[in-house]
Amino acid sequence: MPLLLKRKTEKAAAPLVPAWHPNFRNFQRLPDTKAVRTSFFLNGIAIVVTISLLLVLAFQEYSLVVLNRQITEAQEQIDRNQRPSTQAVALYKTFQVEEKKILELDAFVKTNLPFSDLLLELGRTLPNRLAFQGVSSRDNGVIVRGVVRGSGDRASGEVSAYVDRLRKDSNFSAVFETISQTSLARDPQSGRMAFELFMKFKGAPAPAKK
Amino acid sequence: MSLKNKDVVSALKKYPVIFACGLLNVAIILAIYYRGDVVPAATAQLETKTVLSDRLKANLVNSAQLAEQREALVAANAAIDSRLVRASELAKNQQYFYRLEAETGTKYKDLKQLPPTPTLKGGGNAYVAVPYSIVVEGGYSQLLTFMRRLEGGAPFCRVSSVNLSRETTDLSNPLLVLTLSIELLGQP
């Protein structure tokens, strides 16, 4: 009660402007009109700050409890899965050894086009007036040598048409990047026009220039 | 009792709530400060354990059919092993080629087994390549059959280079010569 009903001091209650008549009020005996004391606010603020700090601490501790629970669960899961996982890893290593053999075989037998298939395809597309003299297959492509009947200009047209046909053929275009005529000259022995084609495999390096 | 202590006691009596709260606040702040490091440490520990746990779980999920797949690979490799040649068994290897010759009606002009080489660069290979240099003569269909048998035969065969040409410049001569560089997959 003394805190809440604190009286104003006489000095504090004295008017700033000089009164026009003497002030006979006895401030000590006047009732205190201040309903809420300053200490009430100070106490309130202190309590609020304390509660706030308590909440922060409680939240921190709660987070810690949750984290510890999650750590425990994760550890339980680790303990449960550790052994089967180790076994799976060991099994996978043996799997890799077996897989490596298969991959090595795959790399070994991988080919652009089996030579027997190439011969069949060349035979299928060969025009009547052309004959093959030889076929060579290397890592970068295939060289086809042949002769063509007829005069020079006609033979040239026949070979060009054959090259176009090979380029348009889906079986050849799937395997070969370029198909080009590398030579056309008269064979002095047979009197026929001898031609040479080079069919470059897809992704193969360009042939060395002669 | 000194005057200072008297003031403290009177202030304590005057504002007991504020003093109590102040003391409590100091205690709480100290607790928050000293316990503050525990949460990040626990978070880091949880992350580590979660990563490990996830990895173990993924191992189990991914290995669900691993045993069956490995068995299939082992069976496939056993089948492959039965088709491998051995570089040391020269006569047995030659026998394969002479059987081909007899079956296709072709004739060898040259047949040589060369020293084995690794199938892939870098080492650690499971197999070796056993190279052969072959010159064989025959008609077109005979040589085509020969190539078909060679490419699809029991030993795994890789054709390094091949040249098919007429034996003579005479177009009426049906004989052709097939010059081959091949490799058979072999056991090291």
Side-chain angles (χ1 to χ4, degrees):
Chain A
M1 196 65 181
L3 277 171
L4 291 174
L5 296 177
K6 189 184 174 188
R7 292 168 195 279
K8 283 182 184 174
T9 57
E10 207 167 328
K11 193 179 173 184
L16 295 172
V17 182
W20 60 275
H21 62 83
N23 187 356
F24 295 107
R25 279 178 290 188
N26 183 356
F27 291 101
Q28 295 297 324
R29 296 190 65 185
L30 284 172
D32 194 346
T33 55
K34 197 175 182 181
V36 183
R37 310 302 322 162
T38 308
S39 59
F40 172 81
F41 290 110
L42 290 176
N43 287 344
I45 289 166
I47 288 167
V48 166
V49 169
T50 306
I51 289 171
S52 303
L53 286 172
L54 266 175
L55 284 174
V56 170
L57 182 65
F59 179 73
Q60 185 176 289
E61 290 304 311
Y62 174 74
S63 302
L64 206 57
V65 168
V66 171
L67 279 172
N68 283 331
R69 195 167 57 223
Q70 288 174 339
I71 287 169
T72 309
E73 284 171 5
Q75 187 59 49
E76 281 171 5
Q77 213 162 39
I78 288 167
D79 294 341
R80 206 167 43 243
N81 294 340
Q82 185 80 59
R83 195 184 158 91
S85 171
T86 309
Q87 287 171 344
V89 169
L91 188 64
Y92 182 63
K93 280 184 182 159
T94 60
F95 175 86
Q96 278 182 312
V97 172
E98 300 296 328
E99 184 194 26
K100 197 183 163 210
K101 290 181 186 174
I102 298 283
L103 293 175
E104 193 177 327
L105 170 69
D106 184 53
F108 182 81
V109 295
K110 195 176 274 180
T111 178
N112 289 309
L113 181 66
F115 188 71
S116 54
D117 288 351
L118 175 72
L119 288 180
L120 289 174
E121 288 298 321
L122 284 172
R124 180 179 63 81
T125 52
L126 186 69
N128 285 333
R129 297 177 66 83
L130 271 68
F132 289 133
Q133 291 282 71
V135 181
S136 299
S137 177
R138 302 202 172 276
D139 54 349
N140 63 340
V142 175
I143 297 168
V144 177
R145 285 178 298 277
V147 289
V148 56
R149 280 182 290 179
S151 59
D153 58 337
R154 189 172 177 187
S156 174
E158 292 271 2
V159 175
S160 296
Y162 180 51
V163 170
D164 282 343
R165 184 179 175 183
L166 290 179
R167 280 176 187 157
K168 285 174 187 164
D169 190 283
S170 60
N171 290 344
F172 282 89
S173 60
V175 178
F176 298 106
E177 194 175 296
T178 56
I179 299 174
S180 53
Q181 182 184 332
T182 49
S183 76
L184 180 67
R186 188 167 296 282
D187 181 16
Q189 286 183 334
S190 65
R192 294 176 177 178
M193 296 298 286
F195 67 89
E196 188 179 284
L197 309 180
F198 178 68
M199 303 191 285
K200 182 174 166 282
F201 286 128
K202 280 188 173 170
K209 286 184 180 176
K210 289 176 185 175
Chain B
M1 193 182 282
S2 66
L3 186 67
K4 200 177 176 184
N5 287 347
K6 245 186 211 173
D7 290 345
V8 170
V9 171
S10 66
L12 195 62
K13 282 180 180 168
K14 206 171 176 182
Y15 304 109
V17 176
I18 293 171
F19 265 89
C21 286
L23 283 175
L24 195 56
N25 287 352
V26 169
I28 293 169
I29 287 167
L30 284 174
I32 290 171
Y33 177 74
Y34 285 110
R35 298 277 288 166
D37 291 343
V38 181
V39 175
T43 308
Q45 193 185 1
L46 177 63
E47 276 176 22
T48 310
K49 286 196 183 294
T50 306
V51 168
L52 178 63
S53 173
D54 288 349
R55 203 178 69 220
L56 295 180
K57 216 186 291 176
N59 284 348
L60 292 183
V61 170
N62 294 334
S63 66
Q65 295 176 329
L66 190 62
E68 292 88 344
Q69 289 167 351
R70 187 188 161 277
E71 288 306 314
L73 280 187
V74 168
N77 281 327
I80 290 166
D81 284 348
S82 67
R83 294 174 64 181
L84 297 178
V85 298
R86 286 167 185 80
S88 57
E89 296 177 350
L90 191 69
K92 194 178 170 187
N93 299 341
Q94 300 276 41
Q95 196 182 14
Y96 166 70
F97 286 102
Y98 285 118
R99 200 181 304 128
L100 265 183
E101 182 190 41
E103 285 170 3
T104 57
T106 52
K107 190 180 172 191
Y108 289 119
K109 292 179 89 176
D110 188 25
L111 174 62
K112 265 191 300 210
Q113 181 181 315
L114 303 171
T117 55
T119 55
L120 298 169
K121 287 175 186 172
N125 297 336
Y127 305 113
V128 292
V130 183
Y132 276 88
S133 172
I134 303 169
V135 181
V136 58
E137 163 186 91
Y140 176 76
S141 59
Q142 287 173 328
L143 291 177
L144 190 63
T145 310
F146 177 85
M147 276 307 296
R148 277 259 184 240
R149 293 271 182 92
L150 198 60
E151 285 170 337
F156 293 101
C157 175
R158 174 164 70 183
V159 179
S160 307
S161 70
V162 54
N163 181 44
L164 178 67
S165 60
R166 289 183 183 279
E167 197 165 34
T168 63
T169 52
D170 181 12
L171 288 177
S172 60
N173 185 356
L175 275 183
L176 299 169
V177 175
L178 185 68
T179 308
L180 282 165
S181 290
I182 62 159
E183 291 170 323
L184 300 184
L185 193 67
Q187 274 189 340

